[in-house]
């Protein structure tokens, strides 16, 4: 589990809450109506801009950001080299059991198609469509958080404007100006916090996770193609390792 | 019907109107001249930047955002598998009636061309041109709402500047400064609301709807091509299901 | 003639001038030095950033935005179907007179090349280069207005800063602060108006006009290619109509 | 020599300096420490973000913006038609002297390669690499000015914040607040001026110059290819003229 | 070693610290809680948005910006011409020792594959995957600094809002308003400094370094391909020199 996201969220919130507490205490920074405007307004506007079914899964996307599926790429490459060696030695049908027991869904699908004797072009096209469509969906999900960033800022500003207008109409009591203004600013503060602690960073990590998944799936597609065409396992390994950073390239043939 | 867009609009507006009412009441937030400046000015500037015929359909585009055409993708795939099976068994001419009775215009057009014996390349090119040009028009329509976002903000700022200048020239009565400033800020508030509740989110959902339509049309093109070339319906189903998220992939052959 | 652009400009200006007049009257909003800074400064900076020959044609580009060349696309398609039918019946040389009398320069050029017996690849390449280079020039022209938007805003801000500094140095007379500040803000107002009423919307409509022209030229290129290769006019019509929105697709063969 | 850039710089600066002089005189707007912060800080940050060798040529790039190499495109086309006619009549070797005396370096290189009997594919690839790499370098240079725009604005804001903090700590003497604030704002003014009079417009004109150069080099590559393959000079002229705007297309065969 | 980055950092910081010292002294600009909010908050948010393993190498990426690997491109070209000449004269196997002793890892890998008798297509594909994946990783690293720019600004604003709210609630003592406001602004100042002195410029120089590396690797790939296919060293040199700016093109055959 990637602790970074959790650590980052806790660290940032602690620092900001600490800064509030050190000054006038946390109390004045908690304002339920302001929270409703910014949080509710942002949710409302996201409901306008995205499909209901996308919004329903928002919590799930957040959890993918926080706790991504772990894939051990070097291990995956090792496994594909083994499949490749076995297929070369005993024929591709010998991988039938491996395909059935494979846990990685994408690799399983590709292996099964190869074992079933589909054309290489058919397999490649189908796996690529699968990979691209899945990436499109991930990008659309990351977009929700990216737009959350923009909209929470806007809702914060709208809330502050509503508060400012109210304050400006009631300036007879000068001593009330400061507190009114403080309350008006709180929606801007909430908007900036939601946008910059949740919105933009979660959108970014979701894109990072998607890039990782595309890399893994590309490795699998290349591997399946090589297994089916009976390529030399050493050549296959050289190719797959080229996708990794130099220091992670460890050949099992040495 | 996708309720999200309506729910979102109602939710956001309720929260903001509630926040206004809770403070100094809704009255001070309603200012007809300000509304004219922001709403009229934004409309005027959009008339400059887009073609009259695009602007005339603005309400129609809005309704597409709110109430999109419903397409049951798994059902569509099922239907195409049936056509594929029938064409394989009885020849492509057996689909003539199905083509005539098909309700989906795009599928109907493709089927008819296939039944009429057009070349595969001709059919694909024609359907792709149709799909791409239609998507171009959708993108142009989404652009109107996207630019509405920017322009309403600018008109809000222009209105506030006009009000500020007037206020600054009449500072002899200090008690009038607050209310004058409040009125001046109202155009900025209107601009931010139009831009962030209508403009940007509607532009976004129109793009989401367009992506959905492109996906459906891509499925149809792939299906027509396979039907015409007499591909195995199982292979076709495997390919079409690859476009869907894993949990929606349900084969009718199991 | 597309009235939208004119109507939009008049509507927006009327609303804003009306808002000014309703408050303190138009007088205080008219300040020649401010106009010189924003208008002159923006012109100056555009002269730095674009070529003299581009700047010289600024008024011409503006007129293209306001009064674009009218092209009746369905009529154009009809004409090309007629040419196609004639060429199929009487040979391509029979189009010589039509080519000479054709008013659309682009269609005339393509027809003449076809009549002169040039290779299809040569004709397509030449027409495509013509179309792309012309579109590049249009995009560069739209850029001038797009950048005018940014620069007029910046000049407005620079003018306001110049005014603010002057005001801050002369605060001995408190009653002069308001009017000085008002004058300082007027450049920002001018900058926002030029940028959002002329700059950005004109840039947008120029791009819309360019897209329209590209569509028409694409239709012509497809038509010329089909005429030269003697395609069936019905097939050609089907293809050309695919470029139009469904409701404008009217076949002359029905 | 393109006077626009010079005229634009002089015009803009005159207007702004005039506006300063008309108010409180030029004196208060000249502040050496502010100039050091904005100009020095921007230079410093550009040194961080670009390579020393790029920064060293900054003045040279500026001069390219101000005084670009003049290329008479119609004249160039005419010359290439002449080379084409000569090569067709007397063989490509007859161009050896012309290649040696050619002043345009890019045309000279291409002609020499053709005269030396290199393969067409080799010549095209080499010239295209040359054109693309040179354009990459130009774009990188334009980037320096584009980023100068952003950074000078940021340095202006940083300077103003430094001044504001100092002012806020010394508010005991109210009469000093105005002048202190004025000085604080001057860095923002400098930043906006550097960014919008030098940074952004010079970046833009450098990109315009690069597009012009790419057009000329594309013409040359097309010309060399046609000369080598012995194409009809009329056909070549038709092709080359398609790159120009209609009104500059003047055939020498009429 | 490229001194520009270091010189730029020192210059910018000196100027800004000097400006602070000249006014009210450095003291008031140093505020540990503000530093914690901006620096800690930015770090926290980056931890949310990037993978832990990327964040761990942040210092390493910074050092690559400051002290990049030095590659003498003309020298590299010279070496590849020598390899090419040798391979042409004595066969490609004669390069085995050179491959083993080559220091440039990328060139070594390519040479070894060529000496081992791999297919040209295999070598090119493998080297290109290596180059592209490595560039993807570099771009992802530059993204950390680019986003640091945005997030530090946002954290600065959040800190200022927290301070402003506290200040507005304690306006009973007017003499405290100035200093409180000054402290509140300091986080904005820190945010702008981190973003514009470290974030954006380091992101930029990392992209410049990546472009340089891609250029070198492209040269190597072209060189290996030519060496393996036994191209004329002169032709190879002509091609490789086309990648360099004209004044660095020095042939060793003259």
């Amino acid at each position: 589990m990637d602790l970074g996201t959790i650590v980052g969220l806790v660290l940032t919130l602690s620092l900001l809450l600490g800064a509030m507490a050190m000054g006038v205490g946390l109390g004045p920074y908690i304002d339920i109506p302001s929270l409703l405007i910014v949080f509710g307004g942002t949710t409302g506007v996201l409901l306008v801009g995205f499909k209901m079914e996308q919004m329903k899964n928002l919590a799930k996307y957040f959890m993918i950001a926080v706790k991504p599926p772990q894939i051990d790429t070097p291990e995956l490459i090792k496994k594909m080299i083994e499949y490749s060696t076995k297929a070369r030695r005993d024929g591709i049908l010998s991988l039938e059991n491996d395909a059935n027991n494979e846990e990685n869904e994408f690799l399983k699908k590709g292996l099964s198609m190869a074992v079933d004797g589909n054309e290489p072009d058919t397999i490649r096209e189908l796996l690529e469509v699968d990979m691209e469509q899945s990436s499109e969906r991930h990008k659309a999900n990351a977009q929700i958080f990216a737009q959350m960033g923009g909209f929470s800022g806007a809702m914060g500003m709208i809330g502050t404007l509503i508060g400012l207008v109210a304050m400006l109409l009631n300036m007879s009591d000068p001593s009330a100006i400061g507190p009114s203004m403080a309350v008006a600013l709180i929606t801007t503060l909430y908007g900036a916090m939601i946008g910059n602690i949740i919105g933009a960073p979660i959108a970014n990590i979701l894109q990072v996770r998607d890039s990782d998944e595309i890399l893994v799936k590309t490795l699998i597609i290349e591997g399946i193609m090589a297994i089916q065409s009976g390529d030399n396992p050493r050549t296959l390994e050289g190719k797959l390792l080229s996708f990794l950073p130099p220091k992670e390239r460890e050949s099992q043939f040495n």
Side-chain angles (χ1 to χ4, degrees), chain A:
Chain A
M1 182 178 162
D2 189 341
L3 284 171
T5 302
I6 291 292
V7 169
L9 286 173
V10 171
L11 172 62
T12 311
L13 282 175
S14 313
L15 280 167
L16 297 183
L17 295 179
M20 295 174 190
M22 267 178 52
V24 289
L26 276 178
Y29 293 97
I30 298 170
D31 187 57
I32 303 298
S34 298
L35 202 65
L36 273 175
I37 291 179
V38 179
F39 207 80
T42 304
T43 309
V45 170
L46 288 175
L47 275 169
V48 177
F50 291 91
K51 287 190 289 184
M52 197 59 119
E53 63 189 85
Q54 292 177 297
M55 291 299 290
K56 275 182 191 151
N57 290 319
L58 209 56
K60 205 182 84 190
Y61 308 145
F62 183 80
M63 288 315 297
I64 290 174
V66 169
K67 198 183 161 186
Q70 289 300 303
I71 290 185
D72 183 340
T73 319
E75 191 57 35
L76 177 77
I77 292 178
K78 211 173 148 191
K79 191 158 63 181
M80 284 197 294
I81 302 306
E82 280 165 20
Y83 289 160
S84 162
T85 312
K86 196 170 175 187
R88 233 187 165 208
R89 202 181 50 217
D90 307 326
I92 194 146
L93 290 178
S94 68
L95 292 179
E96 190 159 12
N97 272 336
D98 299 288
N100 289 338
N101 299 327
E102 177 57 44
E103 289 192 354
N104 183 310
E105 281 301 321
F106 195 76
L107 178 49
K108 181 179 191 168
K109 182 175 178 180
L111 272 185
S112 305
M113 288 187 75
V115 168
D116 289 353
N118 287 281
E119 292 293 311
D121 281 359
T122 309
I123 303 181
R124 177 182 280 275
E125 194 189 351
L126 211 142
L127 292 178
E128 284 181 351
V129 164
D130 193 327
M131 176 176 83
E132 286 159 15
Q133 291 294 327
S134 142
S135 174
E136 287 296 314
R137 286 189 297 271
H138 294 172
K139 284 197 175 65
N141 299 341
Q143 265 300 305
I144 305 184
F145 287 92
Q147 300 228 359
M148 181 192 290
F151 284 131
S152 68
M155 287 299 146
M157 192 184 91
I158 288 173
T160 296
L161 284 167
I162 291 176
L164 274 183
V165 169
M167 182 201 83
L168 288 164
L169 294 174
N170 289 301
M171 301 224 301
S172 49
D173 175 9
S175 73
I177 293 180
S180 301
M181 181 90 183
V183 172
L185 281 182
I186 281 178
T187 53
T188 295
L189 176 60
Y190 287 175
M193 284 176 69
I194 293 175
N196 288 291
I197 304 178
I198 309 288
I202 297 291
N204 200 67
I205 192 74
L206 284 176
Q207 281 170 340
V208 170
R209 306 266 188 254
D210 181 52
S211 299
D212 282 2
E213 194 177 316
I214 286 179
L215 180 60
V216 164
K217 285 186 173 168
T218 305
L219 284 175
I220 291 177
I221 294 176
E222 294 299 328
I224 302 275
M225 292 297 108
I227 289 171
Q228 198 182 34
S229 65
D231 283 1
N232 184 328
R234 270 175 189 267
T235 312
L236 173 61
E237 191 190 50
K239 195 173 177 183
L240 296 186
L241 291 179
S242 296
F243 284 90
L244 302 190
K247 61 176 182 182
E248 290 182 24
R249 290 176 197 163
E250 213 167 281
S251 171
Q252 56 189 111
F253 293 108
N254 298 336

